[in-house]
Amino acid sequence: MRNLVSALFVLIAPTSFIHASEPPKFTEAELTFFESKIRPVLVEHCHECHSADSKILQGGLRVDHRAGLLTGGDSGAAIDPDKPADSLLLKALRHDVFAMPPKGKLPDSIIRDFETWIAMGVPDPREAVTGLTQRAVSLEEGRRHWAFQIITDPPVPAVSDSNWSLDPLDHFVLAKLDAAGLRPVADANRHVWLRRVSLDLTGLPPTPADIDAFVRDDSPDAYAVVVDRLLGSRAFGERWARHWLDLTGYADMMGTSNNVFAEHAWRYRDYLIDAYAKDKPFDRFVREQIAGDLMPAGSPEEQAENITATGFLMVGDVEIVEPDKAKMEADHIDTQVTKIGMAFLGMTLGCVRCHDHKFDPITLPEYYGIAGILRSSPATHKIPFGVWSRLNATDLPETSEQLAARTKQEAEHEAHLAAMNNERSQLETEKGSVLEELKKLEQAASAGSETVEANKARAESLTKRRDEIAGRQGTLGRLIQHAEFFRSKAPRAYAMHDGDQPADMPIYIRGNPYAPGAVVPRSAMLVPSWEAFPEIPAGQSGRLQLAEWLADRRNPLTPRVAVNRIWQKLFGEGIVRSVDYFGTRGDLPSHPELLDHLATRFLQNGWSQKQLIRDLVLSRTYRLSSTNDAASAAVDPDSRLLWRMNPQRLDAEALRDSLLAISGELIASNGGPGLVLEDVDNCGDLVQAGVNPPNYAHRKPRPGQEFQRTIYLPVLRINTTGDDRIRTHFDFVNPAQIAGQRSQTVVPTQALFVMNGDLFRKRAKGLADSLLAESPETGTRLEQLWLRVVNRPISDAERSTAAAFLTELGAMINETDSAARDSLAWQELCHSLLASNEFLFRL
């Protein structure tokens, strides 16, 4: 079967014109039938999209000559001479598979004419005078592309100034600059470098104490001490986990319909934070996310971690309310294949769902070879009511301590539920008594009883109590429903699990699950492979074998893509600018030898991301200032040759988290659910049967949630929460999509948000209150303000300007209380600095 896959492999080659072979001889009657019944229909309804005159040849299909029909397009041959009745052309005309022509189905009489024509043997005198685009079969040709070649360890080049380099990687950079006749700018000063490395590694600015310690440390290890401290912090895991989440389509909701909550998604987020904080080797990181559930574990904690890791393949945009379950499955598998291709391989595998890749050496059999592996591990299941489905969730193993804690929690929950049920029963009994007494009072009033006036006050009291009972019963009903829905406290995670019947998958013609084609064996991409894909044991999906293939040291893509992503997060652009796409239409590496040098080091250092990051940020290249040099900018305006460090605007998370840190309001978190599902007002349709799925609206945040790091806030697919609205303004990746590099837009709404948004105004007040409480001296406050916000000492000119600003503004504020007047003036000064480019950017 492996040879079959190889034979099916095609690589796009330059167009070559091939004359179709001489058509067979047909009778005059048969050709007359074609000319009168078939050709006119093809010309009128098909040539616009499927001929040499088409502006864009749809589906790769030509119908303006006989060979084009027999050869077919992306979906295969349009006519099957061996099985005429099963010809794809007839299925399209009948609208069984495709709707052709798309403007409307042709009359049945015309379809019968085509059936007759095909049964005749396709009489057609037309020849392919312009020829067909031929796709050559060649693995060797595909492997000539730089990304598919094996990783080498290039020698460190000689440079003009070997003393400039702090790391071998600097030699590769300086060699390129030497060749272009450029010189790097001077190093950044210590304040700039410390702010840069703190934000890059943790997403948080340095504190005044951090700044003082670093500036005073004149030892040779001063820079390394800072880096090791940052790498060892939980904040590092929180920052770099967010980078990876951009590649997963992560959200705390399912699809974009019905606001269905993904109750257990947060466990994958916390897995990532821990993985980065502990420096999980990247090859292990890859294996766990594809097949962690199939890997051995030495403890319940490790097993739970392995299972949770496969959330990578689960947390994307899944439309569980899709009534067409075959389509839902095919779409979700496509999302999984796309993520694997982009995140690990830098390849656009999603392009191959319907046809061979137009530019890269990836074919339909390869796509469906990977898709078959994933289809053998179903991710969703249909519920027995309604049209919606659920993501598969797995119970996680627990230690004895965890089990004991959960047992206690569930017992407390049951006691609370029992108390509410008991209260509801008592209220129902009381309600009956109240209604009975009210009835008697009404009867007495109707009978003209002398005690009517005396009864009036009693009736009003009973009516009030009746309404109180009804209101409490309504509240209790919602609380009890909520408590019953969330009864179980067992830890669960959205995770992969091999299905009962793993099997190879057919190619879906044009991606349509209702048009299955040839079945292809489960496997991976051929061009970057070094040997045959391993045999998949009976009863297994093949995910474990796929994980091993992805994380193998011999895979040329995985290490290169990983190293390039890390470089991009630190330098603003990747060595390969198109960080998500290493294909033939992607960017060439600016420093190909450097990329392979770093990939080699990455492998030699046990796939350690922390070690690679440490090496990069301690290099001379990373230490360069962001000052401009006119001569260098004229030659290399984007600094692709790295003669300076390009400034970068902080992303949404770093902006918000920095604001909270600066104002002293940031609180630590150990993770946990982002959604506030424990509040009944946030939940709806919490029933185990019904038309609508359970849903969530973030009406009430958790106490203190406003001050947590942004990574712990809920990620909603179609709305935002009040606390994270900054994401919508500062280029947060749409959670229905995936991207390894965010855009950096500059639009007016960003400036308006900074000037008028509650987030900035509240943090300015918090910062001002903190400064006023810490010192009565204006000079001391100003020094602290500059150190906190822009992480450097205030200059004499800035001191004078700021003091004048406070004086002039204080005189303009209509407030008799001096303390209140000072507070308002300082708030405005703090807000002004928080709105400055020096804060919004890292230099």
Side-chain angles (χ1 to χ4, degrees), residues 267-444:
R267 292 191 186 276
Y268 175 70
R269 178 206 66 201
D270 284 0
Y271 159 82
L272 290 178
I273 294 173
D274 292 339
Y276 275 98
K278 295 187 296 188
D279 195 23
K280 186 183 293 290
F282 190 75
D283 60 337
R284 172 83 187 189
F285 184 62
V286 172
R287 290 185 178 96
E288 289 180 358
Q289 292 185 83
I290 302 299
D293 59 305
L294 304 175
M295 297 171 62
S299 66
E301 296 96 332
E302 184 181 2
Q303 187 180 3
E305 192 174 292
N306 290 351
I307 293 170
T308 303
T310 64
F312 171 76
L313 295 170
M314 301 287 285
V315 297
D317 186 10
V318 187
E319 285 295 347
I320 65 167
V321 295
E322 169 62 66
D324 187 335
K325 299 308 176 185
K327 180 180 182 298
M328 184 187 76
E329 179 194 60
D331 289 347
H332 187 51
I333 290 172
D334 186 63
T335 299
Q336 294 172 323
V337 174
T338 299
K339 282 199 287 189
I340 290 172
M342 181 180 290
F344 301 125
L345 303 172
M347 288 287 128
T348 52
L349 297 185
C351 297
V352 198
R353 175 178 176 176
C354 301
H355 51 72
D356 293 340
H357 203 291
K358 295 298 185 184
F359 309 115
D360 296 330
I362 313 170
T363 64
L364 276 167
E366 291 170 276
Y367 174 94
Y368 284 96
I370 297 173
I373 291 173
L374 300 168
R375 190 171 182 242
S376 295
S377 299
T380 62
H381 64 277
K382 175 73 173 68
I383 61 169
F385 45 85
V387 299
W388 43 286
S389 301
R390 284 197 178 105
L391 271 183
N392 292 342
T394 300
D395 287 340
L396 298 176
E398 300 171 274
T399 64
S400 56
E401 294 80 9
Q402 290 170 333
L403 178 59
R406 175 167 68 88
T407 301
K408 179 181 178 183
Q409 186 182 20
E410 288 181 339
E412 292 171 350
H413 185 84
E414 288 298 320
H416 178 60
L417 180 58
M420 289 191 294
N421 277 314
N422 183 55
E423 182 185 357
R424 183 164 62 176
S425 297
Q426 292 177 349
L427 287 172
E428 188 64 27
T429 300
E430 183 183 357
K431 179 182 176 181
S433 300
V434 169
L435 291 176
E436 182 65 24
E437 188 173 352
L438 278 172
K439 183 179 180 180
K440 290 179 179 179
L441 291 175
E442 290 174 0
Q443 291 173 344

Side-chain angles (χ1 to χ4, degrees), residues 185-219:
V185 297
D187 290 356
N189 65 49
R190 284 199 166 199
H191 292 96
V192 169
W193 181 87
L194 180 61
R195 174 176 166 81
R196 177 189 299 168
V197 76
S198 298
L199 288 168
D200 283 352
L201 266 57
T202 67
L204 298 171
T207 66
D210 295 333
I211 297 169
D212 182 66
F214 178 57
V215 170
R216 291 176 180 274
D217 188 352
D218 57 3
S219 70

Side-chain angles (χ1 to χ4, degrees), residues 532-814:
F533 194 76
E535 290 294 328
I536 300 173
Q540 293 187 18
S541 64
R543 278 188 296 115
L544 191 59
Q545 289 72 28
L546 178 62
E548 292 294 337
W549 181 85
L550 287 167
D552 195 290
R553 297 172 62 89
R554 295 168 291 181
N555 191 318
L557 290 173
T558 306
R560 281 194 181 112
V561 171
V563 164
N564 192 61
R565 291 196 189 284
I566 292 173
W567 181 279
Q568 182 268 319
K569 297 306 178 188
L570 298 172
F571 291 91
E573 287 187 335
I575 297 173
V576 180
R577 265 181 171 175
S578 51
V579 294
D580 294 329
Y581 181 48
F582 276 34
T584 58
R585 294 298 180 96
D587 292 309
L588 293 173
S590 59
H591 299 71
E593 294 83 8
L594 173 59
L595 181 61
D596 271 19
H597 167 76
L598 294 175
T600 300
R601 287 170 64 168
F602 188 45
L603 296 174
Q604 290 175 344
N605 290 326
W607 300 75
S608 169
Q609 295 190 81
K610 278 191 178 181
Q611 183 61 53
L612 177 61
I613 292 169
R614 186 180 193 275
D615 292 344
L616 294 182
V617 298
L618 290 176
S619 69
R620 177 74 71 185
T621 305
Y622 183 83
R623 197 175 293 188
L624 295 177
S625 74
S626 58
T627 56
N628 192 33
D629 178 81
S632 297
V635 177
D636 181 22
D638 296 332
S639 188
R640 286 294 288 151
L641 298 179
L642 302 168
W643 53 268
R644 75 160 183 162
M645 172 65 78
N646 283 328
Q648 298 179 52
R649 195 197 63 213
L650 302 189
D651 59 28
E653 292 88 344
L655 279 173
R656 181 180 173 277
D657 296 348
S658 293
L659 288 167
L660 289 168
I662 288 168
S663 65
E665 297 169 291
L666 184 67
I667 60 176
S669 174
N670 290 321
L675 300 180
V676 191
L677 292 169
E678 66 270 24
D679 195 308
V680 68
D681 290 336
N682 292 335
C683 305
D685 289 311
L686 299 182
V687 293
Q688 299 296 338
V691 175
N692 297 316
N695 59 74
Y696 178 88
H698 194 72
R699 298 183 180 92
K700 291 184 179 180
R702 192 175 290 116
Q705 199 168 30
E706 176 186 1
F707 306 110
Q708 289 183 322
R709 291 201 69 168
T710 312
I711 193 172
Y712 296 114
L713 298 183
V715 179
L716 310 182
R717 293 200 182 276
I718 56 175
N719 294 304
T720 59
T721 68
D723 296 331
D724 74 334
R725 196 156 287 129
I726 190 172
R727 289 171 172 163
T728 64
H729 296 281
F730 285 91
D731 305 312
F732 184 69
V733 174
N734 185 324
Q737 302 170 349
I738 56 177
Q741 183 171 3
R742 295 187 185 180
S743 302
Q744 286 200 14
T745 60
V746 179
V747 293
T749 51
Q750 294 167 347
L752 292 172
F753 182 84
V754 169
M755 289 188 294
N756 303 311
D758 283 346
L759 174 64
F760 276 80
R761 300 199 68 83
K762 285 181 178 180
R763 303 296 81 78
K765 183 181 185 307
L767 175 57
D769 291 345
S770 175
L771 293 171
L772 292 170
E774 288 176 3
S775 175
E777 300 293 330
T778 298
T780 302
R781 293 173 184 168
L782 290 174
E783 290 170 1
Q784 283 295 304
L785 175 59
W786 254 251
L787 285 174
R788 286 193 189 185
V789 177
V790 293
N791 311 129
R792 62 168 175 81
I794 187 172
S795 68
D796 292 339
E798 289 167 332
R799 189 188 304 273
S800 298
T801 302
F805 174 86
L806 289 169
T807 300
E808 294 174 11
L809 184 60
M812 296 169 61
I813 296 174
N814 186 20

